[in-house]
Amino acid sequence: MFQEVNDAEFVSSENSTLKFWEDSSIFQKLRDQNKNKPVWSFLDGPITANNPMGVHHAWGRTYKDTYQRFHAMTGHKLRYQNGFDCQGLWVEVEVEKELGYSTKNEIAEKGIDLFVNACKKRVLKFAARQTEQSIRLGYWMEWDHPDQLRLLSDSIESDDEITYTTANNTTVSGKADELVSRLGNAEWGGSYFTFSTENNEAIWTFLKKCHERKKIYRGYDVMPWSGRGGSAYSQMEIADGRKLTTHKSIFVKFPLKGRKNEYLLIWTTTPWTLTSNVAAAINTELDYVKLKANRDDAIYYFAKENLDFQRLSKEFKEGFGRPEWSWPKDVPKLKTISQIFKEQGGYEIEGSVKGSELVGLEYEGPFDDLAAQNAPGGFPEEETLMDETAVSCHRVIDGGRDSKGKPHVIAGEGTGIVHTAPGCGDVDHHLGKEAGIVGIAPLGEDGRFFDGFGDFTGREAIDPETAELVFQKLKEKGLLVYVEKYPHIYPHCWRTGDELVFRLVDEWFINMDWRDEIKEVTRKINWVPNSIDGEEREIEWLSNMRDWMISKKRFWGLALPIWRDEETGDFEVIGSLAELKERAVEGWDQLEGHTPHRPWIDKVKIKNPANGNLMTRVEDVGNPWLDAGIVPFSTMQYNTNQEEWKKWYPADLVTECFPGQFRNWFYALLSMATMMDNTPPFKTLLGHRLVMNE
């Protein structure tokens, strides 16, 4: 009944099918056949044009192609628009390697224009490569011609006019930079590029709407930071960069003032932050044991429950929640605090006190000899606290509770006394504000210690040698109790793999106090399959997220349309290039003919209507999830042809992997659409599994 297949000849049959489609214009015939049929709108999540495609990309594209083919076969007109994600640190990192740069400062020194042009060239180069790979995969989209994308890439830095053949085979002429700015427009067809002017302007429209609702603000906070990248990371970005990591953690003692030979027992997994300690936080409701060590008759205070607590015992047996996160083979089982003291000569328990009784006790810090510890107002100085130094603030404080009412300090892992460094930790920063104490922010943009930190000055915080110097100093002072290898899940840059630190920064944020509006939009969407609990996942993320950090102290990305009066601090958000041109008082001629990127847009200045002062654009570029989140508007002509936009919006389907995109692309789509017009940007979302490494 069936003919036996001895040699499937997959590759040759695939190539013959591709040739048949091309020679017979099958894709174009399908589009012609359906051009007057009802529309079915698919919105493609953009692939980063930074390297060749991987297997995980092919997996997702197979889903996308299958759904589009099905709806074409049922008689629907489709847009067939692929998307390329173009801007952000992941491109910058690769270009830094290409140019041989080792630090962020080299970019500014050697020319931001040179660097930005190199980023554009790389994106176009790999957009061409990924286009070829997608065609080979059999993925039907309205593709740009790969050779024409390479022509643009090769011509970026030239002022000569070139002739470019668009995806729909019309020819246009102009300078490469001008042509690049228009890629993906409705007239030319082809893939959308998130670096296009239409995409960037649509984000300006969104940010203008946020500003009109008074949701944009400049804030100071302690954020995850990459020393190599010289950039902060938002809450949504670090979720995908968590890795199982082994650090050396330490138990250290803080001498209590006025209490001879009595100490607070402190534990930390980030020894470098001890240089910047300001306070010690406890839970007022916990019982704290008074342990007397036999070797020196010293009294140690720590949470009573922690004495015999089996630290990470479950993780030792079962790992950290993922198959690849098993307990490291070179790390022994962790010792209990009881075991540590027994091995050091034994101990006696002299009683216990309530945590509330410890509040207010003053102590000597482990690095009070550092200049930064003695700087009036902290480091950097806080004008309202000039009568205080970190040393004068060393005391036990109430750790308080989070927004859900859960205590910040708990029994179990650690000692129940949390070393608090307001310039080095997220929760620490907010505790410091509430307690009215100074902060010490020790690290520069490169992740190295500033001057004022003695032998630590110039050292990189994440360098293991820095931790060793901490141990050496503490040992010399007689404050070191115990050092151990400690495995835990630690944030890394999700693109470079570098360990992150927490650093005090000033960034631009969107106040997300309108999250309930986004939740209402979320509930109108069909999330499939039911097994992924899509709506529940998204609602949970929306409930727990913090304000959206939208800025990056980098070079290649959306130019945040925020102009600031340096004298008064006033700022304005510009909603379009037309508005900027109308208000520009200098620098427009240097921007004209370029895409609205750094450094050209940085030249444009406007006047403060309140006092006539010049306002300068903030140097920050945008969080790249803004780029992808706006595409339901930018790719469907929201700003240029509202009638056409209404034909295709909202999209009938989007599909990407989970769980990461629930807090990244899906979140950006939903938030931006809610602000733009308070409607769902898509009707149905298909979440599929992510292809992992072997």
Side-chain angles (χ1 to χ4, degrees):
M1 190 175 202
F2 296 102
Q3 184 176 353
E4 183 179 352
V5 177
N6 295 316
D7 184 358
E9 298 183 342
F10 288 120
V11 174
S12 61
S13 61
E14 288 171 3
N15 284 322
S16 63
T17 300
L18 291 170
K19 188 175 188 306
F20 167 70
W21 287 347
E22 182 178 7
D23 292 346
S24 304
S25 301
I26 298 300
F27 177 56
Q28 188 56 49
K29 288 176 179 177
L30 176 66
R31 298 191 73 184
D32 292 342
Q33 176 180 295
N34 289 339
K35 65 181 179 181
N36 296 317
K37 301 290 180 64
V39 304
W40 186 79
S41 180
F42 175 72
L43 181 66
D44 183 41
I47 179 176
T48 305
N50 189 37
N51 279 301
M53 261 172 50
V55 173
H56 59 298
H57 295 121
W59 171 268
R61 273 160 140 61
T62 302
Y63 277 115
K64 296 173 182 181
D65 194 47
T66 300
Y67 273 87
Q68 291 196 113
R69 286 174 184 267
F70 173 80
H71 285 281
M73 291 168 68
T74 56
H76 290 85
K77 178 182 178 181
L78 281 73
R79 292 191 310 131
Y80 292 110
Q81 188 174 38
N82 170 76
F84 286 120
D85 213 355
C86 308
Q87 302 176 145
L89 184 60
W90 41 90
V91 177
E92 291 198 52
V93 167
E94 295 300 325
V95 171
E96 285 181 22
K97 293 177 186 176
E98 287 179 3
L99 298 177
Y101 295 171
S102 58
T103 67
K104 174 183 171 183
N105 291 339
E106 288 183 75
I107 297 171
E109 290 168 1
K110 297 182 179 178
I112 297 175
D113 55 342
L114 171 70
F115 185 75
V116 166
N117 281 333
C119 290
K120 289 181 184 177
K121 291 165 73 74
R122 181 178 180 87
V123 166
L124 291 164
K125 170 186 171 183
F126 282 103
R129 181 72 186 101
Q130 291 178 359
T131 295
E132 290 170 337
Q133 289 178 295
S134 298
I135 292 170
R136 174 62 184 86
L137 186 66
Y139 187 27
W140 277 1
M141 285 287 193
E142 184 179 47
W143 297 109
D144 295 280
H145 302 291
D147 62 320
Q148 294 296 292
L149 293 176
R150 291 192 178 94
L151 172 65
L152 287 177
S153 178
D154 293 340
S155 306
I156 279 294
E157 292 175 308
S158 171
D159 288 329
D160 296 336
E161 284 204 354
I162 61 171
T163 299
Y164 177 76
T165 303
T166 68
N168 62 19
N169 292 316
T170 59
T171 57
V172 292
S173 297
K175 295 179 181 178
D177 216 33
E178 295 169 345
L179 298 175
V180 163
S181 72
R182 297 185 60 197
L183 286 173
N185 72 72
E187 182 183 345
W188 293 3
S191 298
Y192 72 80
F193 289 73
T194 61
F195 64 22
S196 74
T197 297
E198 187 167 5
N199 203 70
N200 284 328
E201 272 201 276
I203 303 170
W204 284 22
T205 302
F206 161 74
L207 293 173
K208 178 83 169 183
K209 288 177 180 286
C210 291
H211 182 55
E212 288 169 349
R213 290 184 58 180
K214 303 188 185 306
K215 303 301 183 189
I216 304 284
Y217 71 94
R218 184 187 186 191
Y220 291 83
D221 206 347
V222 173
M223 303 289 294
W225 182 274
S226 167
R228 184 159 78 95
S231 177
Y233 289 72
S234 66
Q235 183 184 11
M236 58 202 284
E237 291 175 291
I238 65 167
D240 287 334
R242 297 161 66 246
K243 293 182 182 179
L244 178 60
T245 309
T246 299
H247 286 129
K248 284 188 176 180
S249 69
I250 62 169
F251 289 87
V252 60
K253 57 185 181 182
F254 289 0
L256 287 169
K257 290 184 177 180
R259 297 195 175 199
K260 187 177 180 181
N261 212 21
E262 292 192 12
Y263 304 89
L264 302 173
L265 184 64
I266 303 293
W267 173 81
T268 180
T269 60
T270 52
W272 66 269
T273 63
L274 288 169
T275 61
S276 307
N277 171 266
V278 179
I282 54 89
N283 184 328
T284 58
E285 297 177 8
L286 288 179
D287 291 319
Y288 285 77
V289 71
K290 291 177 64 176
L291 178 148
K292 183 178 180 180
N294 291 340
R295 68 174 180 175
D296 56 6
D297 292 333
I299 299 293
Y300 293 87
Y301 292 90
F302 58 91
K304 186 176 181 179
E305 292 180 45
N306 291 35
L307 179 62
D308 293 303
F309 182 77
Q310 300 295 314
R311 304 166 59 225
L312 297 188
S313 58
K314 180 180 179 182
E315 289 80 0
F316 182 75
K317 297 174 183 175
E318 303 174 11
F320 291 80
R322 292 186 186 176
E324 69 273 24
W325 286 354
S326 58
W327 188 272
K329 293 180 180 179
D330 63 337
V331 178
K333 185 178 180 181
L334 299 180
K335 297 176 182 179
T336 64
I337 295 177
S338 174
Q339 186 178 354
I340 291 170
F341 277 102
K342 283 178 181 177
E343 292 179 358
Q344 294 183 359
Y347 64 86
E348 297 174 8
I349 300 300
E350 294 206 339
S352 64
V353 297
K354 212 69 177 172
S356 56
E357 297 178 50
L358 298 176
V359 173
L361 292 182
E362 297 181 351
Y363 65 87
E364 296 174 13
F367 290 99
D368 287 354
D369 54 323
L370 297 178
Q373 281 280 343
N374 295 279
F379 188 94
E381 67 183 37
E382 169 56 57
E383 292 181 3
T384 61
L385 294 170
M386 293 303 290
D387 293 336
E388 299 280 3
T389 66
V391 172
S392 70
C393 289
H394 289 335
R395 62 179 179 269
V396 178
I397 62 174
D398 181 356
R401 296 175 179 271
D402 64 18
S403 59
K404 295 181 178 179
K406 296 180 179 178
H408 286 126
V409 181
I410 59 174
E413 204 63 28
T415 68
I417 305 177
V418 177
H419 132 65
T420 303
C424 305
D426 173 21
V427 174
D428 305 49
H429 181 63
H430 294 284
L431 282 180
K433 280 187 173 182
E434 292 172 7
I437 58 178
V438 303
I440 297 180
L443 305 181
E445 286 195 1
D446 58 359
R448 296 176 181 273
F449 280 89
F450 287 121
D451 288 336
F453 289 86
D455 291 343
F456 294 97
T457 295
R459 287 181 176 268
E460 190 176 11
I462 62 174
D463 185 348
E465 290 300 315
T466 301
E468 293 299 327
L469 181 60
V470 172
F471 306 152
Q472 176 190 325
K473 297 284 187 184
L474 293 175
K475 189 173 183 179
E476 291 171 358
K477 296 175 181 181
L479 300 177
L480 186 63
V481 176
Y482 186 71
V483 179
E484 65 186 351
K485 288 184 178 180
Y486 187 83
H488 59 152
I489 307 303
Y490 190 83
H492 291 66
C493 172
W494 67 302
R495 288 294 181 177
T496 66
D498 294 339
E499 286 187 14
L500 302 180
V501 293
F502 281 77
R503 179 176 178 269
L504 182 65
V505 297
D506 67 292
E507 300 287 355
W508 291 90
F509 296 85
I510 299 175
N511 182 334
M512 299 303 292
D513 60 0
W514 44 289
R515 69 188 68 214
D516 286 342
E517 298 173 38
I518 310 172
K519 289 179 183 179
E520 286 306 307
V521 168
T522 300
R523 294 186 179 102
K524 297 175 183 176
I525 290 164
N526 178 32
W527 302 80
V528 294
N530 292 332
S531 58
I532 67 171
D533 299 320
E535 181 180 313
E536 184 179 330
R537 284 174 182 264
E538 197 63 48
I539 295 294
E540 180 184 8
W541 173 253
L542 289 166
S543 299
N544 296 323
M545 69 183 187
R546 297 168 53 190
D547 288 350
W548 189 357
M549 189 193 81
I550 57 170
S551 57
K552 292 277 186 186
K553 298 194 181 316
R554 292 295 307 186
F555 305 95
W556 171 235
L558 166 83
L560 284 180
I562 302 172
W563 269 258
R564 188 170 181 269
D565 183 334
E566 293 296 333
E567 182 180 314
T568 66
D570 296 343
F571 70 89
E572 294 203 29
V573 177
I574 301 297
S576 67
L577 282 170
E579 180 187 352
L580 180 60
K581 183 177 182 179
E582 183 180 335
R583 295 195 54 186
V585 294
E586 63 178 71
W588 182 262
D589 58 327
Q590 296 179 68
L591 171 62
E592 208 158 24
H594 294 284
T595 57
H597 288 97
R598 301 191 67 189
W600 306 283
I601 197 165
D602 296 341
K603 310 292 185 184
V604 182
K605 300 186 186 301
I606 65 175
K607 275 191 177 180
N608 186 339
N611 55 27
N613 287 349
L614 281 182
M615 303 181 84
T616 303
R617 197 193 74 82
V618 301
E619 290 186 347
D620 305 57
V621 297
N623 182 311
W625 288 110
L626 292 169
D627 300 354
I630 201 62
V631 295
F633 299 88
S634 62
T635 68
M636 300 181 192
Q637 305 180 66
Y638 176 84
N639 277 340
T640 56
N641 188 339
Q642 283 269 319
E643 287 304 310
E644 189 66 18
W645 173 72
K646 290 174 182 176
K647 291 179 184 177
W648 298 98
Y649 182 92
D652 288 288
L653 178 71
V654 299
T655 177
E656 290 294 339
C657 67
F658 76 96
Q661 298 301 353
F662 282 91
R663 52 187 173 259
N664 292 320
W665 191 46
F666 304 156
Y667 165 68
L669 288 169
L670 292 164
S671 299
M672 298 177 87
T674 300
M675 179 60 70
M676 291 291 276
D677 75 341
N678 202 33
T679 61
F682 49 86
K683 298 175 184 176
T684 298
L685 181 143
L686 171 69
H688 62 78
R689 279 295 188 188
L690 176 66
V691 175
M692 306 294 287
N693 292 334
E694 290 183 30

